[in-house]
Amino acid sequence: MKKVTILNKIVDSGIVAVIRGESPEKATKTAEAVIKGGVKGIELTFTVPKIDRVIAELSQKYRGSKVAIGAGTVLDATSARIAILAGAEFIVSPSFNVEVAKICNLYQIPYVPGCMTVTEVQTALSYGVDIIKMFPGSVTGPKMINAIHGPLPYVSIMPTGGVSLDNMADWFKAGAVVVGTGSNLTGAADHDDLETVTAMAEKYISKLTQLRKNS
């Protein structure tokens, strides 16, 4: 049931914020700013130094809440296990990796790998993947979801890369179950403008609420 509960949290969040930063402190502050704005899906990437400490800190703080703390840019099983032991509730990769899939299955943690083709999607599904990260979304576009849903209509897809406030509706209309967004949401953090990050998060949540009400 653990995996199902986490999957429901991810889908209910509607938006997963991709958090990067040149230091653990910056990544933590950016994540907090996003959560303050109402976004409950948080993907902390392994490009951040000492990211396991950030995952551990935020996972402990938000344990038992609707906030889902996950790890991103996970390229190998060792990194996946480090993230999971630190408290990550889900693992995201830019590509599919069999060993990462196995370790996630072992710990009953959702694995969201990046895929671009039907072959990659089919392979990921055969290893127990529940949500496919369509990446990069800026290259594939919303129509790719329709294309994949032709032969594989039951696949849950999370586009990431190129998702913005302006085109979020197009992604959900095409069939996305959740969207991942990075610099379009958190870009102001590069200039330490966390208030703008929170304001952007609020706009994303407002848009999401509107879309769900009209669907």
Side-chain angles (χ1 to χ4, degrees), residues 10 16-20 41-47 55 68-76 79-80 83-84 88-97 100-101 104 109-115 129 131-135 158-161 178-181:
I10 295 169
V16 171
V18 181
I19 308 295
R20 302 187 185 278
I42 303 296
E43 176 190 329
L44 298 154
T45 70
F46 259 77
T47 55
I55 292 169
I69 303 294
T73 321
V74 176
L75 304 177
D76 54 77
S79 300
I84 292 167
E89 291 187 284
F90 62 97
I91 299 294
V92 184
S93 300
S95 57
F96 174 72
N97 181 282
V100 173
C104 288
I109 292 292
Y111 176 39
V112 187
C115 298
V129 168
I131 298 177
I132 297 293
K133 171 183 172 179
M134 182 174 287
F135 179 77
M158 178 182 83
T160 304
V178 57
V179 297
T181 183

Side-chain angles (χ1 to χ4, degrees), residues 11-186:
V11 174
D12 288 347
S13 74
I15 299 164
V16 171
V18 181
I19 308 295
R20 302 187 185 278
E22 65 271 15
S23 69
E25 294 76 20
K26 189 155 194 174
T28 301
K29 289 179 180 178
T30 303
E32 293 279 21
V34 167
I35 294 169
K36 184 179 179 182
V39 173
K40 296 180 174 65
I42 303 296
E43 176 190 329
L44 298 154
T45 70
F46 259 77
T47 55
V48 177
K50 300 176 182 175
I51 188 60
D52 55 319
R53 296 185 188 179
V54 181
I55 292 169
E57 179 184 334
L58 292 175
S59 294
Q60 187 171 3
K61 181 173 181 178
Y62 292 100
R63 182 172 291 129
S65 73
K66 291 184 178 180
V67 176
I69 303 294
T73 321
V74 176
L75 304 177
D76 54 77
T78 301
S79 300
R81 187 170 185 273
I82 288 170
I84 292 167
L85 294 181
E89 291 187 284
F90 62 97
I91 299 294
V92 184
S93 300
S95 57
F96 174 72
N97 181 282
V98 171
E99 297 307 315
V100 173
K102 288 179 179 178
I103 202 80
C104 288
N105 286 335
L106 183 66
Y107 286 96
Q108 282 295 286
I109 292 292
Y111 176 39
V112 187
C115 298
M116 274 190 75
T117 67
V118 173
T119 299
E120 290 175 348
V121 172
Q122 186 175 347
T123 300
L125 293 175
S126 71
Y127 281 94
V129 168
D130 295 286
I131 298 177
I132 297 293
K133 171 183 172 179
M134 182 174 287
F135 179 77
S138 56
V139 174
T140 64
K143 289 183 179 179
M144 188 62 182
I145 295 182
N146 297 320
I148 288 177
H149 277 167
L152 303 170
Y154 44 81
V155 179
S156 296
I157 296 175
M158 178 182 83
T160 304
V163 175
S164 66
L165 201 58
D166 294 332
N167 66 21
M168 191 167 71
D170 296 331
W171 286 107
F172 280 112
K173 187 176 180 181
V177 297
V178 57
V179 297
T181 183
S183 57
N184 282 300
L185 169 58
T186 64

